[in-house]
Amino acid sequence: MTSILRNVREPLRPGAMFCCCSFRKICTQEQIRTGNQKKRSRKCIAVAGALLTGGCLYVTYEALSLRIGLTVHTNAVDSEKLKSYVYVYREPALPLARSGLTDLLKWHLQRLAHRLHEASAWLLQRPVEEVLVPTSHRELNLSPWILLKRCMSGEATQRQKAILELSAIHNWDAAQYRSVAQACDPATTIILARCKDVDRRFFLPPPRQQRDTRLDESLQAVLLNLPTGDVDPCVSRLTSLVLSDSSQTRTRSEAAHWTFVGEILPGQRPSTPVSEDQVESICVKVILQHSKLPRRCEQLVHLGVLDLLLRLIEQDGVGPQLQHNALRVVGNLAMQPHLHSTIVQSGWVRVLVERLQSGRVIDEALAARALANMDRETVREHYPDGVYLLHPQQITTLNTTGDVLFVHGLLGAAFKTWRLRDPEASVHLSGGKYRDVSQCWPKSWLGEDCPENRVLSVEYDTRLSDWFLECPADSCKRSLAYRSREMLAKLQVAGVGEKPIVWVTHSLGGLMVKQMLVDAASNPAACDVLANTRAVVFFGVPHSGSRLAELSLAVRFVLFPSAEIAELRRDSAMLQELHKRFTELVRRHGIKVLSFGETQPTTLGMLRTLIVSTESADPGVGEFETVPVDHLNVCKPEGRHSPIYQRTLELICTSLAPQQATPSGGPDQL
């Protein structure tokens, strides 16, 4: 082959020419085959790349479409939830909505320059020591959101510490208080409300709402929507009484008795119309009874009771008793944890804080009860209606080591019974309230002299006569046995029995405590109440009966004495058996007893008599002292250095001393 290529000038032989043509044909075919393979490879790569790119684009498009399709916009829901927190203020809006990055950067630079100018002016106007060592409140002013974050996160102890620091701030401007109030969660807001001397601006005011109907008609509409089949007969009676004068009922009644001549039949109209004030008072009383039932609380909130009660207490000329009943309703609703956020959003926390700082004993106790029922982080117990917390009413770092319970007597109350001594005291058969309620010494003095103890006061309704009884069916609930069982159950809900107890009683309240201790001895669920009872103080308690019962029974056809009076007959078999069982418990459990008896007669209208004699006031166990006062003032010391208070304080301190707070086998100290 090589010789052929070299001798190209020589004529080719036939065989050589055939070989050369064959070689050229083979080379051409190989080149064509190689080129076809490259073309096919390029086509495959192009098709594969197109398919891969198209597939990726398709998958990306479908993923984005699916994400957009599954996105749920909750802006409307969030706006609906927070509509009560929307407040409009005449302040210039921040220019964050300007279009363009240049304008936004320019605005931030101007803001930074303004802050630098303020900082330089502050540095030049302050001394060097103040500049180098900034105070704690100035640091808090610069970082309110950091402190708020500590209040809403972390361990419970750290949260409470941060909330206490937040409550000590009183130098913020209105915008900072408003921002914190809108950002706080319900739990933080409630704990903050229980802090001492907290600024009221931390809490949102009640939202302003359009009020198209009268308040009495709105309250009657609430009662119309409440069931009455499973409630107390007295509640049904009051409901029918107040609804008989409602506009809806009156319209139906007039339509039913309209004759063909267009006149109403005589005697078919409802009874004498009830005034607007009476309608509101009776409606609130009925709502109060319904609020004691857990199954009714959510329905009451759904019917707008919280807003109606806010309207009620904001009215001018509303009596204190009506306002107190409204606060009692809120305290009952606060016992349901699922309603706490609704109560906070309605603006009631701001109202409760104002009442807690009002300086009025009754308002403070009612507000403290409602806030304590809502506080589920620092308070473990619940306070039912009729059990009031006198100390500590605000959040504290002290752990209580014992309970001091005050139980009033006939025609008494949880607060007015334990005020200072009256120069002239009198009582009427109508059970009228005292004109002025002075200082409550259990709240003021015991809270300072023994702050480590919890002070409670209980309240129940009593009467001298059934002349003024609103419901005849209510008389069966006024027996000593019924009241004692009911009060014992309430006190157990409040945590009474978990720590050492000292009872301080007056008149009929002493008999109730004796009955409760006797019942607790035979009730395994309440045996801790008896086991932890350390001492009992009796002020004018008729252990063997009272002369007042004899006078009432002598004129029973005129005065109609109540069930309480009927049980106070002298030398009553029931009282003798109760006292016998009580003295056995005193000796068995080593309970200390301190008793006081009056020596002067008490004025009852036009009658002046010694209600509890010295023989009846002396239980025969423990220590007994006489006081030269009447029955109403026997439990009211003249001052802090009065022998009555000093002897009572000494017994409380010795009985609830820390070394005796946790007996062997008893519950651990919290």
Side-chain angles (χ1 to χ4, degrees):
M1 183 73 62
T2 305
S3 60
I4 295 174
L5 294 176
R6 287 179 180 176
N7 301 324
V8 293
R9 295 181 180 180
E10 296 180 2
L12 296 176
R13 297 177 183 180
M17 185 178 296
F18 175 79
C19 292
C20 183
C21 293
S22 300
F23 175 76
R24 290 181 178 177
K25 184 176 180 180
I26 292 172
C27 292
T28 304
Q29 291 178 354
E30 289 180 357
Q31 292 177 355
I32 293 173
R33 189 181 299 109
T34 303
N36 293 336
Q37 291 178 355
K38 291 181 179 179
K39 289 181 180 180
R40 284 195 297 270
S41 299
R42 292 193 197 97
K43 288 182 180 180
C44 291
I45 292 173
V47 172
L51 291 176
L52 183 62
T53 304
C56 292
L57 292 176
Y58 177 77
V59 171
T60 303
Y61 173 77
E62 290 295 333
L64 292 176
S65 301
L66 182 62
R67 180 180 180 182
I68 295 174
L70 295 179
T71 300
V72 179
H73 298 282
T74 60
N75 297 333
V77 178
D78 296 338
S79 301
E80 185 68 21
K81 288 182 178 179
L82 302 178
K83 64 180 181 180
S84 60
Y85 288 89
V86 176
Y87 295 86
V88 179
Y89 298 93
R90 297 182 178 179
E91 297 179 357
L94 297 178
L96 293 177
R98 293 181 178 179
S99 60
L101 182 61
T102 305
D103 294 336
L104 186 61
L105 293 176
K106 186 185 298 183
W107 177 79
H108 280 290
L109 291 175
Q110 291 176 355
R111 186 180 180 186
L112 179 61
H114 181 68
R115 289 189 174 183
L116 290 176
H117 177 71
E118 288 183 348
S120 61
W122 180 81
L123 290 173
L124 294 175
Q125 294 177 1
R126 296 292 188 277
V128 179
E129 295 81 4
E130 187 177 352
V131 173
L132 295 179
V133 186
T135 58
S136 59
H137 71 270
R138 189 178 300 115
E139 294 177 356
L140 292 177
N141 283 340
L142 297 177
S143 57
W145 297 107
I146 297 178
L147 185 58
L148 182 60
K149 183 179 180 180
R150 290 172 51 199
C151 296
M152 300 175 60
S153 61
E155 188 195 2
T157 305
Q158 298 297 329
R159 275 174 40 83
Q160 296 173 17
K161 184 178 179 181
I163 292 174
L164 288 175
E165 294 179 5
L166 185 64
S167 66
I169 299 175
H170 297 278
N171 60 338
W172 281 355
D173 54 17
Q176 289 176 306
Y177 284 109
R178 184 171 62 250
S179 300
V180 172
Q182 293 176 339
C184 277
D185 59 342
T188 304
T189 301
I190 293 169
I191 300 178
L192 187 62
R194 298 191 67 238
C195 295
K196 186 177 181 180
D197 299 328
V198 65
D199 198 302
R200 303 176 186 177
R201 292 175 291 178
F202 275 116
F203 313 100
L204 295 174
R208 298 295 179 182
Q209 298 182 356
Q210 188 176 2
R211 301 169 179 177
D212 300 330
T213 59
R214 291 170 45 184
L215 180 59
D216 58 338
E217 294 181 354
S218 300
L219 291 173
Q220 289 174 335
V222 171
L223 300 188
L224 283 173
N225 290 276
L226 289 175
T228 58
D230 55 346
V231 295
D232 190 87
C234 297
V235 178
S236 301
R237 182 178 181 275
L238 289 176
T239 304
S240 61
L241 175 64
V242 72
L243 291 183
S244 63
D245 193 58
S246 64
S247 58
Q248 300 93 330
T249 307
R250 187 167 53 249
T251 302
R252 290 196 297 265
S253 177
E254 292 179 358
H257 299 293
W258 196 265
T259 62
F260 65 94
V261 293
E263 297 180 355
I264 299 178
L265 295 176
Q268 297 298 324
R269 283 187 178 271
S271 57
T272 305
V274 184
S275 64
E276 181 179 350
D277 295 339
Q278 292 177 335
V279 169
E280 295 176 356
S281 177
I282 297 176
C283 287
V284 173
K285 286 183 180 180
V286 174
I287 293 174
L288 175 61
Q289 298 301 323
H290 280 278
S291 66
K292 297 178 182 179
L293 306 175
R295 60 182 181 276
R296 292 280 189 273
C297 293
E298 187 172 0
Q299 187 176 5
L300 289 173
V301 173
H302 179 71
L303 293 174
V305 167
L306 292 173
D307 296 334
L308 295 178
L309 295 180
L310 279 174
R311 289 178 55 184
L312 178 66
I313 65 174
E314 291 175 355
Q315 282 185 341
D316 296 332
V318 178
Q321 187 64 36
L322 189 55
Q323 296 187 27
H324 297 162
N325 287 339
L327 293 174
R328 290 171 62 186
V329 173
V330 177
N332 293 340
L333 297 178
M335 295 183 65
Q336 310 303 321
H338 63 283
L339 300 178
H340 291 173
S341 59
T342 306
I343 298 176
V344 173
Q345 293 178 3
S346 65
W348 261 102
V349 176
R350 175 76 170 262
V351 177
L352 294 175
V353 172
E354 293 175 355
R355 296 302 177 101
L356 189 60
Q357 301 175 356
S358 63
R360 297 184 295 270
V361 176
I362 301 179
D363 289 352
E364 290 176 354
L366 293 172
R369 170 182 171 254
L371 291 174
N373 285 337
M374 287 193 290
D375 186 3
R376 294 297 90 199
E377 291 192 22
T378 63
V379 180
R380 186 180 60 182
E381 306 85 8
H382 283 97
Y383 296 95
D385 186 49
V387 180
Y388 300 105
L389 180 65
L390 299 184
H391 174 80
Q393 293 183 342
Q394 287 90 12
I395 186 174
T396 178
T397 56
L398 295 176
N399 292 326
T400 57
T401 59
D403 292 334
V404 184
L405 279 83
F406 288 80
V407 186
H408 67 83
L410 194 63
L411 294 183
F415 312 102
K416 73 174 185 179
T417 297
W418 313 107
R419 64 187 188 277
L420 298 183
R421 181 172 300 176
D422 298 330
E424 293 182 2
S426 62
V427 66
H428 301 281
L429 293 180
S430 60
K433 302 294 181 182
Y434 290 100
R435 184 164 35 182
D436 185 21
V437 177
S438 58
Q439 185 182 17
C440 181
W441 62 267
K443 175 182 179 297
S444 304
W445 298 347
L446 290 182
E448 297 177 0
D449 294 338
C450 47
E452 68 278 0
N453 296 320
R454 183 177 62 162
V455 182
L456 300 176
S457 183
V458 302
E459 187 171 55
Y460 56 96
D461 190 23
T462 58
R463 296 179 182 275
L464 285 177
S465 174
D466 284 345
W467 266 110
F468 306 96
L469 191 62
E470 294 180 352
C471 179
D474 196 28
S475 59
C476 62
K477 298 182 180 181
R478 299 182 179 275
S479 64
L480 186 63
Y482 183 89
R483 290 184 186 277
S484 300
R485 290 194 301 269
E486 184 182 35
M487 188 59 64
L488 182 60
K490 290 183 178 181
L491 293 177
Q492 286 185 279
V493 175
V496 175
E498 300 176 0
K499 301 175 183 179
I501 307 170
V502 172
W503 304 86
V504 183
T505 66
H506 175 245
S507 187
L508 182 63
L511 301 180
M512 281 190 58
V513 170
K514 292 166 62 176
Q515 185 67 51
M516 280 191 287
L517 295 178
V518 170
D519 293 341
S522 58
N523 184 5
C527 60
D528 291 339
V529 176
L530 175 61
N532 283 306
T533 296
R534 298 289 182 266
V536 182
V537 180
F538 294 121
F539 287 104
V541 175
H543 297 284
S544 58
S546 172
R547 179 171 172 77
L548 180 62
E550 297 179 357
L551 296 176
S552 300
L553 292 176
V555 290
R556 59 184 179 274
F557 298 107
V558 179
L559 297 181
F560 292 99
S562 60
E564 300 96 317
I565 296 296
E567 291 181 335
L568 295 179
R569 297 191 307 271
R570 297 184 63 179
D571 300 327
S572 170
M574 184 270 293
L575 294 181
Q576 291 179 359
E577 179 64 21
L578 176 62
H579 188 67
K580 178 182 177 181
R581 299 177 64 181
F582 171 74
T583 53
E584 292 176 356
L585 295 176
V586 168
R587 296 187 178 93
R588 186 187 311 164
H589 294 273
I591 301 174
K592 301 177 182 178
V593 178
L594 176 62
S595 305
F596 296 92
E598 72 261 21
T599 59
Q600 295 183 3
T602 304
T603 302
L604 301 174
M606 297 182 295
L607 182 64
R608 184 174 175 84
T609 182
L610 189 66
I611 295 181
V612 180
S613 62
T614 305
E615 294 77 11
S616 182
D618 186 2
V621 291
E623 303 180 26
F624 176 74
E625 297 182 8
T626 58
V627 185
V629 293
D630 59 5
H631 185 70
L632 299 179
N633 286 319
V634 69
C635 60
K636 299 177 178 61
E638 295 178 346
R640 202 159 189 165
H641 300 286
S642 172
I644 297 176
Y645 175 70
Q646 291 299 324
R647 294 283 288 115
T648 304
L649 177 62
E650 180 184 1
L651 180 64
I652 293 174
C653 293
T654 55
S655 302
L656 302 180
Q659 61 270 17
Q660 299 180 5
T662 306
S664 59
D668 296 335
Q669 179 179 340
L670 296 178

